[in-house]
């Protein structure tokens, strides 16, 4: 049991993060100061939230490449609402953001479920459409800090128990997902649909509805992150979070979420996001251009997929050997 825990994907990732921090700290001790580690966690919070939403989509053998565009469109919409009605309560703003994000996720889910279009094709299409809509409603213009109300930008930056509001949102989402995945029928359905969709049908699970629910959850979290992102950085524009969908997928794959579906964990997605977050924040410290992060994310996806494929082949050989011994 202890050996299985020590060699699990989550444990390997945790060791890698600790080793990475140790290597950076050997040259720049200030990087592992508690205040700086909290700042790294805060910077990584949007990635954590989106990775968890992406996780449930991937578990059902789908993928959502529109999350960053969803984030950008929602962020632009709530920023425009705030400039038009600066007195609108933040709770209403967040509700609009989550609702709009969920609606865009539902569009993806409907197209995959009812029209049986491959998820990668659907979300590539909606990704482009959402970016286009941002340009149409904003006329390509930016919304900057001086146009946003103080309450709008202050909410995710506010401190509670020494931790910023953005980080608390990520912590709450992690807790909710632990409950969703481990304690609810929907959480079990995600694994069943991804593991064996044909068998899931025979157990009474509606594969299409389950995939639809996954897209809605992913979209809702993208919408929430849209508000948090725009409020934190106090700017909204067409290309906000451009390419961020690659980092989201990378965080999931690095965390052991199988692209083939049915395999993954909340802890894995969390650690995958933290791993990329540490790398992103460490690059400027070691004088490496942050633009290398996309290359690193892409390489990490290839490595993680290859690692998963090799692990599955080894597992398959072990099962075959066990079967041979049982029949001999």
């Amino acid at each position: 049991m202890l050996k299985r825990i020590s060699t699990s994907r989550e444990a390997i990732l945790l060791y890698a993060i600790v080793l990475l921090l140790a290597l950076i700290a050997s040259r720049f001790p200030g990087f592992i100061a508690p205040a700086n580690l909290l700042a790294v966690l805060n910077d990584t919070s949007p990635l954590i939230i989106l990775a968890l939403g992406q996780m449930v989509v991937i578990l059902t053998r789908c993928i959502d490449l529109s999350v960053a565009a969803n984030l950008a469109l929602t962020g632009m919409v709530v920023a425009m609402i705030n400039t038009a009605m600066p007195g609108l309560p933040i709770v209403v703003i967040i509700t609009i953001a989550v609702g709009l994000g969920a609606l865009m996720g539902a569009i993806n889910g409907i197209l995959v479920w009812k029209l049986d279009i491959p998820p990668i094709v659907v979300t590539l299409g909606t990704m482009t459409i959402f970016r286009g809509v941002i340009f149409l409603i904003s006329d390509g213009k930016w919304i900057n800090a001086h146009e946003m109300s103080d309450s709008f930008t202050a909410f995710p930056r506010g401190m509670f128990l020494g931790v910023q509001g953005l980080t608390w949102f990520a912590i709450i989402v992690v807790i909710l997902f632990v409950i969703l995945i481990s304690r609810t029928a929907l959480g079990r359905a995600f694994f069943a649909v991804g593991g064996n969709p044909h068998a899931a049908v025979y157990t009474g699970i509606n594969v299409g509805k389950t995939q639809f629910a996954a897209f809605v959850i992913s979209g809702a979290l993208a919408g929430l992150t849209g508000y948090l992102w725009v409020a934190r950085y106090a700017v909204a524009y067409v290309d906000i979070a451009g390419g961020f969908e690659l980092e989201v997928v990378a965080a999931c794959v690095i965390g052991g979420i199988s692209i083939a579906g049915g395999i993954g964990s909340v802890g894995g997605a969390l650690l995958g996001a933290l791993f990329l977050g540490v790398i992103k924040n460490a690059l400027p410290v070691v004088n490496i251009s942050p633009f290398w992060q996309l290359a690193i994310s892409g390489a990490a996806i290839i490595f993680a997929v290859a690692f998963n494929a090799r692990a599955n082949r080894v597992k398959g050989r072990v099962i075959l050997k066990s079967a041979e011994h049982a029949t001999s």
Side-chain angles (χ1 to χ4, degrees):
M1 177 69 177
L2 184 60
K3 183 179 179 181
R4 187 166 70 248
I5 293 173
S6 64
T7 57
S8 69
R9 173 61 67 90
E10 289 85 354
I12 292 171
L13 258 180
L14 185 59
Y15 298 153
I17 292 171
V18 172
L19 178 61
L20 185 60
L21 289 173
L23 289 173
I24 298 167
S26 65
R27 292 187 60 189
F28 306 96
F31 190 84
I32 60 171
N36 189 68
L37 290 179
L38 278 176
V40 171
L41 178 59
N42 195 61
D43 285 341
T44 313
S45 291
L47 180 58
I48 292 172
I49 296 172
L50 291 179
L52 289 171
Q54 188 74 247
M55 178 191 72
V56 295
V57 174
I58 294 177
L59 282 176
T60 63
R61 296 192 176 188
C62 296
I63 194 166
D64 187 357
L65 298 178
S66 68
V67 287
N70 183 328
L71 178 163
L73 177 53
T74 304
M76 177 60 76
V77 169
V78 295
M80 293 177 70
I81 290 174
N82 177 250
T83 56
M85 296 179 285
L88 199 65
I90 295 302
V91 173
V92 176
I93 292 287
I94 293 175
T95 302
I96 292 171
V98 173
L100 180 58
L103 176 61
M104 286 186 275
I107 292 171
N108 288 332
I110 289 283
L111 292 173
V112 171
W113 175 21
K114 294 298 185 181
L115 299 184
D116 200 26
I117 305 174
I120 191 169
V121 175
V122 168
T123 55
L124 274 173
T126 54
M127 174 180 71
T128 307
I129 292 170
F130 296 160
R131 292 284 182 187
V133 172
I134 301 171
F135 186 85
L136 289 175
I137 64 175
S138 67
D139 199 25
K141 297 177 181 178
W142 290 37
I143 297 179
N144 297 303
H146 68 275
E147 300 174 81
M148 301 177 184
S149 68
D150 292 338
S151 60
F152 182 86
T153 56
F155 192 68
R157 303 179 186 181
M159 301 292 289
F160 179 69
L161 299 178
V163 178
Q164 288 193 25
L166 179 56
T167 303
W168 279 114
F169 271 101
I171 292 171
I172 292 169
V173 170
V174 169
I175 293 171
L176 291 176
F177 264 73
V178 169
I179 297 170
L180 170 67
I181 294 299
S182 62
R183 302 291 181 183
T184 68
L186 180 59
R188 291 189 290 271
F190 291 144
F191 287 96
V193 167
N196 192 328
H198 300 294
V201 171
Y202 287 111
T203 61
I205 296 173
N206 188 311
V207 174
K209 281 186 178 180
T210 303
Q211 292 174 333
F212 173 80
F215 276 109
V216 171
I217 291 171
S218 177
L221 290 178
L224 171 63
T225 309
Y227 159 68
L228 295 173
W229 186 297
V230 168
R232 187 202 177 199
Y233 295 108
V235 64
Y237 55 95
V238 174
D239 293 326
I240 194 170
F244 199 60
E245 59 278 343
L246 176 62
E247 293 182 41
V248 175
V249 174
C252 290
V253 176
I254 291 169
I257 317 300
S258 174
I259 292 294
I263 299 174
S265 68
V266 173
L270 172 61
L271 289 171
L274 289 174
F275 180 78
L276 289 179
V278 170
I279 289 177
K280 180 179 181 179
N281 283 270
L283 290 181
V285 174
V286 295
N287 294 322
I288 298 177
S289 170
F291 293 107
W292 275 99
Q293 191 188 352
L294 284 178
I296 293 172
S297 297
I301 290 177
I302 295 172
F303 177 80
V305 170
F307 181 88
N308 288 341
R310 180 176 176 80
N312 289 336
R313 284 198 299 270
V314 171
K315 187 183 296 183
R317 287 196 292 268
V318 170
I319 292 172
L320 287 173
K321 288 180 180 178
S322 299
E324 289 174 1
H325 288 309
T327 55
S328 61

